[in-house]
């Protein structure tokens, strides 16, 4: 194609939404009109499936659940008046609570207003709030946000060290839809202990966001925590940013949650249009499908050219990969679907891996995220070269990379937003949620369950059970044992490798067990109880 044809293709396929000042360009994905035509009937089915989902169908058949995250920003569309009321009530509850915290009507136990916010949660209970905090938190927020999103003791220590001396001014949110995920439970135990050590009551600092009736809710109510906010059954973790999961931390940081919801609602309207060319989420799904031949053969590299959007790719990683990475389709055929997502930000990544993107293995397509506004209005941009600002550079580098990749047979999508504000971020979240839903319908998979995650969780609890057994056996044995003898004694010779990992970890942490000998020769090691 010559430059005039490429330009014509750009104009033909450009999507623009005037209300959101949002552009989407998929012209640099090399698809043919025939390919688009061949997907028309599948798209018709996908639009119908999405309509049924929004009307309250059981769109997550394995878990027998409705999928209602779109109702969160258009409560009037929820299938019953009770649900409409529950959604609206939750938003009002969030706003009222944030106001009381901001104005010191709920005072910190250390006196005065809360100044810090510690969010404990993992996966969908952390990634959205982290992305939104990075993108939208004001320079001087009413509460400074911190996250514990793992069960890494050192990671927890680092966060608690930052809060040293400030626990009395810290509001703690524990977020877990199930209320039983081990990582946030562990975070909660360690944070509670930190409060105890500091002699500060925990309950008057604590808030839960969880499913009604969960273990976490029961604990919060029994202990008299400040408040409990609901996560509705029909909201999945990875699509929970516009529920209390995302809205509460955002409101507490002074982010305009009504604007976030309005941006998402406007994008939802735009992505309900049952015509591919006029629906930006359908255009994205089309581009993904064609780029990866409907089998995820190409990875999605997400490159926002804006520091504030750094965590967007991480957020999308869960949204896309946990939704689309499935072994079977809805008919029970083994399909092993998915699209791998990675990326950080441009132009920084240009000095990291863009070399491979341009010249190396062609197993990806890029999504450039362009932000038109360089910096806050009113702040002048100095020239870094004659007539050129830093922002011009950023824009030039995005365009240059897009062009250089295309010239070398590498495809890309470009999403353009006017500025990083609550409205645009809400729109981006809604855009990708719908694109994932439509793509899942095209490839006929359930995007709303995550059975694969369970296998790792089950295996982990079996490891911990084995560890308990091992400690007991070694403690009650006089003298030392070899690894083989220990494996026999615990009745798990087939799990000798797991045993070795357990022992090495206990030894390294000065725990109940000692290893004597060369750690590089596991079979020669002597295992004994550590003297107390
Ligand atoms: O909010 P919960 O129930 O603690 O779950 C956290 C995360 O764990 C998963 O269930 C599995 O990784 C995610 O889908 C979810 O976002």
């Amino acid at each position: 194609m010559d430059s005039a044809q490429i330009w014509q293709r750009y104009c033909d396929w450009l999507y623009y939404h005037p209300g959101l000042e949002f552009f989407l360009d998929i012209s640099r994905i090399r698809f043919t009109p025939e390919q688009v035509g061949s997907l028309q009937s599948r798209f018709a089915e996908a639009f119908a499936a999405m309509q049924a989902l929004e009307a309250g169908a059981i769109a997550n058949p394995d878990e027998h659940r409705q999928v209602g995250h779109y109702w969160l920003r258009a409560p009037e569309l929820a299938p019953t008046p009770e649900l409409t009321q529950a959604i609206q009530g939750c938003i009002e509850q969030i706003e009222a609570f944030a106001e009381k915290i901001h104005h010191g009507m709920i005072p910190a136990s250390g006196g005065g207003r809360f100044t810090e916010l510690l969010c404990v949660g993992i996966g969908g209970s952390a990634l959205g709030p982290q992305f939104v905090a990075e993108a939208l938190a004001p320079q001087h927020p009413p509460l400074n946000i911190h996250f514990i999103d793992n069960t890494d003791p050192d990671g927890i220590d680092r966060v608690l060290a930052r809060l040293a001396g400030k626990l009395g001014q810290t509001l703690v949110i524990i977020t877990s839809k199930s209320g039983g995920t081990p990582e946030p439970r562990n975070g909660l135990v360690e944070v509670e202990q930190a409060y105890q050590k500091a002699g500060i009551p925990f309950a008057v600092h604590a808030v839960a966001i969880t499913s009604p009736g969960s273990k976490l809710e029961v604990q919060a109510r029994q202990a008299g925590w400040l408040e409990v906010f609901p996560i509705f059954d029909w909201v999945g973790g990875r699509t929970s940013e516009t529920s209390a999961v995302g809205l509460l931390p955002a409101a507490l940081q002074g982010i305009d949650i009504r604007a976030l919801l309005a941006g998402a609602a406007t994008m939802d309207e735009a992505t309900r249009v049952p015509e591919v060319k006029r629906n930006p989420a359908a255009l994205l799904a089309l581009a993904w499908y064609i780029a990866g031949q409907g089998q995820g053969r190409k990875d999605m590299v997400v490159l926002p050219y804006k520091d504030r959007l750094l965590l967007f790719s991480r957020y999308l990683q869960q949204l896309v990969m946990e939704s689309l990475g499935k072994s079977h389709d809805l008919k029970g055929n083994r399909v092993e679907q998915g699209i791998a997502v990675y990326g950080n930000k441009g132009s920084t990544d240009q000095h990291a891996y863009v070399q491979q993107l341009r010249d190396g293995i062609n197993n990806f397509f890029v999504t450039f995220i362009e932000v038109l506004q360089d910096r806050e209005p009113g702040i002048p941009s100095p020239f870094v070269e004659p007539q050129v600002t830093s922002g011009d550079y950023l824009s030039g580098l995005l365009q240059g990379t897009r062009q250089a990749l295309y010239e070398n047979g590498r495809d890309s999508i470009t999403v353009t937003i006017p500025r990083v504000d609550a409205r645009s971020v809400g729109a981006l979240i809604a855009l990708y949620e719908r694109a994932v839903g439509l793509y899942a319908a095209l490839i006929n998979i359930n995007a709303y369950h995550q059975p694969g995650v369970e296998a790792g969780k089950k295996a982990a609890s079996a490891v911990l059970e084995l560890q308990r057994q091992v400690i007991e056996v070694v403690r009650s044995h006089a003298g030392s044992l070899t690894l083989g003898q220990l494996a026999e004694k615990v009745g798990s010779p087939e799990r000798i490798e797991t045993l070795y990992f357990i022992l090495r970890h206990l030894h390294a942490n000065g725990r109940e067990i000692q290893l004597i000998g060369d750690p590089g020769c596991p079979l020669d090691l002597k295992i004994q109880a550590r003297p107390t």
Side-chain angles (χ1 to χ4, degrees), residues 26-71:
I26 63 160
S27 68
R28 295 303 202 269
I29 299 281
R30 278 163 244 249
F31 55 81
T32 61
E34 292 71 35
Q35 282 175 309
V36 178
S38 71
L39 285 169
Q40 282 313 308
S41 63
R42 280 209 220 178
F43 265 108
E45 282 167 21
F47 291 133
M50 198 53 83
Q51 203 180 2
L53 175 150
E54 285 204 76
I58 301 293
N60 178 358
D62 301 39
E63 297 178 357
H64 204 71
R65 279 190 165 129
Q66 294 174 306
V67 175
H69 46 273
Y70 302 106
W71 309 329

Side-chain angles (χ1 to χ4, degrees), residues 122-125 175-179 181 184 237-238 318 322 450 453 457:
I122 196 164
S125 292
T175 305
S176 175
K177 181 181 174 188
S178 60
T181 306
R238 54 191 174 274
Q318 186 202 21
E322 202 166 69
Q450 52 285 326
V453 182
K457 284 189 196 166

